[in-house]
Amino acid sequence: MSAVAPGDPPGGRRALAVWGTGVSVYFVAVIFRTSLGVAGLDAADRFHVNASALSTFSILQLLVYAGMQIPVGLLVDRLGTKKVLALGAVLFTAGQLGFAFSPSYGTALASRALLGCGDALTFISVLRLGSRWFPARRGPLVAQFAGLVGMAGNLVSTLVLARLLHGIGWTAAFAGSAAAGAVVLVLVLLFLKDHPEGHEPEPLPHQGAAYVRRQIAASWREPGTRLGLWVHFTTQFPAMVFLLLWGLPFLVEAQGLSRAVAGELLTLVVLSNMVVGLVYGQIVARHHGARLPLALGTVGTTAALWAATLAYPGPHAPMWLLIVLCTVLGACGPASMIGFDFARPANPPERQGTASGITNMGGFVASMTTLFAIGVLLDATGDDYSLAFSVVFVLQAVGVSQILRLRGQAARRERERLVASRVETVHVPA
């Protein structure tokens, strides 16, 4: 078996260097995205807001991010990775700077929206960059590595930015961190290329709104794109909601832990994500048929552990159960990346960005829905976390039903496409 299929990019050190430049932008974007997670209490004091207003920061940021995914996919397909990543770096750096100097809640909210807009431009661009520079068989591993770098950004935010915030103060910490955005912007402008020599994509004729509708419709018609969206929807949100907003209150208020211990458990989620991402990437790259069992297995294990934690008969779940729960939540991010491994082979190169954007919407729509629903249920039930977190099971059930409905269609289309590509390869003259 040849190492690289006909027409595949060659990969190698040059590909790794270019992809590393692109993924560094995503790394900084995640640091900025998660910076509010370590500054929530400081933000409440600085802007004199209550918990509901504070949660609006996270919900607005996710709303902007999710709403931008299909437009970003179209932009990447149309303009290429370099331009979109450069624009993203400009926007999220401006948002971080604005947040540093915001004198009021309103301007801070606008700054987070701007940051979310720039952040939204990064991940789909990095996925497309990987597909342009690496052989297709490396796609799952490259995607998981991108997710791994994102979680490393989350870790930097938790461990480094938190110390800076309490050491040098709000303005200096956020304004100083914005310098990282300027650095990656320069790297993109100087070193990033959309594709290797000899692998230029076919030029796309631009036909205005008709082109946009055609790209979206063609991507959506593919069962693999829809299956990818629902896999992403069902797997990502439990960990996202836990890390972004409700994990710390749940561990402190419902489980009686100190803030320090709760912070260590949140860090465990991030570390588990990084380890599991490497394992899942290797498995999917070598055994394509393992995609759905891994995704559904992660959903089932997550649901079982949440059920055990929420239904525990004592006043608090034991520490060993919370540790296992947080370790398994770390698998949610890597499992969500499997969604892209269904959408990628279902679409030709000129639709990769659009298809990835549709897929990426799934988890963020689920996260927004869950963030809001948990908040409403907590208010309605007098902070009954067991009842509020039960919304997790509802969204998982909806997602699993859609995955089971679409899996057969997607598998048939993949087999048809594989047979067609083999026939085409056989008829290519030597």
Side-chain angles (χ1 to χ4, degrees):
M1 186 177 70
S2 62
V4 179
D8 257 359
R13 292 183 179 179
R14 172 65 172 155
L16 191 60
V18 172
W19 180 81
T21 300
V23 84
S24 68
V25 182
Y26 178 56
F27 173 73
V28 174
V30 173
I31 294 175
F32 291 0
R33 178 200 304 173
T34 57
S35 58
L36 185 63
V38 299
L41 295 177
D42 301 83
D45 290 338
R46 181 179 177 86
F47 302 117
H48 309 292
V49 295
N50 58 22
S52 297
L54 189 62
S55 68
T56 304
F57 280 123
S58 298
I59 294 173
L60 176 63
Q61 200 169 322
L62 285 183
L63 180 64
V64 171
Y65 189 102
M68 285 286 293
Q69 289 310 294
I70 291 179
V72 168
L74 291 164
L75 278 175
V76 170
D77 286 337
R78 185 68 202 162
L79 301 178
T81 305
K82 183 171 185 172
K83 292 178 181 178
V84 177
L85 274 180
L87 178 59
V90 169
L91 292 176
F92 66 60
T93 302
Q96 188 79 337
L97 273 175
F99 199 56
F101 294 102
S102 289
S104 66
Y105 175 71
T107 55
L109 204 60
S111 296
R112 294 307 287 187
L114 185 62
L115 192 156
C117 186
D119 180 18
L121 296 173
T122 60
F123 186 65
I124 300 302
S125 299
V126 169
L127 287 181
R128 185 183 187 271
L129 192 67
S131 69
R132 291 296 191 192
W133 279 90
F134 292 96
R137 65 187 179 86
R138 296 291 186 192
L141 194 57
V142 170
Q144 289 289 355
F145 264 114
L148 176 68
V149 171
M151 292 312 292
N154 195 332
L155 201 60
V156 168
S157 178
T158 302
L159 298 178
V160 178
L161 190 59
R163 292 185 181 182
L164 287 175
L165 187 65
H166 297 116
I168 62 177
W170 177 283
T171 301
F174 279 101
S177 66
V183 171
V184 294
L185 174 61
V186 172
L187 291 176
V188 167
L189 295 176
L190 293 180
F191 301 114
L192 194 136
K193 290 189 63 176
D194 284 346
H195 47 73
E197 296 294 335
H199 290 270
E200 294 82 357
E202 292 290 328
L204 295 176
H206 184 46
Q207 298 177 4
Y211 161 77
V212 171
R213 288 194 298 269
R214 190 164 55 250
Q215 283 286 93
I216 296 173
S219 297
W220 184 254
R221 276 196 299 268
E222 291 293 342
T225 304
R226 284 175 277 141
L227 178 59
L229 179 146
W230 284 108
V231 167
H232 200 269
F233 176 100
T234 313
T235 53
Q236 187 203 46
F237 78 92
M240 175 72 75
V241 167
F242 197 78
L243 288 172
L244 202 59
L245 187 60
W246 291 120
L248 190 69
F250 170 77
L251 294 172
V252 172
E253 296 179 2
Q255 299 303 319
L257 301 180
S258 67
R259 286 179 178 269
V261 174
E264 290 172 358
L265 287 175
L266 294 180
T267 303
L268 175 62
V269 177
V270 176
L271 293 174
S272 172
N273 184 300
M274 297 171 74
V275 174
V276 174
L278 292 175
V279 175
Y280 277 20
Q282 290 282 1
I283 292 174
V284 174
R286 297 178 182 181
H287 308 285
H288 222 44
R291 291 172 298 172
L292 211 52
L294 280 178
L296 291 176
T298 302
V299 173
T301 306
T302 304
L305 283 165
W306 264 121
T309 302
L310 298 177
Y312 192 78
H316 305 304
M319 179 57 72
W320 68 264
L321 182 55
L322 295 176
I323 290 173
V324 175
L325 171 67
C326 290
T327 302
V328 171
L329 284 176
C332 292
S336 73
M337 300 298 295
I338 295 173
F340 299 102
D341 294 317
F342 287 105
R344 189 185 304 111
N347 291 273
E350 62 271 16
R351 284 207 312 265
Q352 288 294 318
T354 306
S356 294
I358 292 172
T359 300
N360 206 31
M361 282 183 63
F364 289 94
V365 169
S367 295
M368 278 190 302
T369 304
T370 310
L371 280 169
F372 178 73
I374 289 175
V376 169
L377 287 171
L378 285 174
D379 287 339
T381 61
D383 291 340
D384 186 336
Y385 279 89
S386 294
L387 184 58
F389 270 83
S390 64
V391 73
V392 169
F393 306 121
V394 176
L395 269 74
Q396 285 182 323
V398 170
V400 168
S401 68
Q402 294 299 314
I403 291 171
L404 296 178
R405 182 179 69 85
L406 289 164
R407 61 176 180 173
Q409 300 175 43
R412 284 193 298 273
R413 287 286 290 160
E414 274 199 16
R415 287 195 296 269
E416 292 169 3
R417 189 172 286 104
L418 183 61
V419 170
S421 66
R422 285 174 177 172
V423 170
E424 184 178 333
T425 302
V426 168
H427 286 88
V428 171

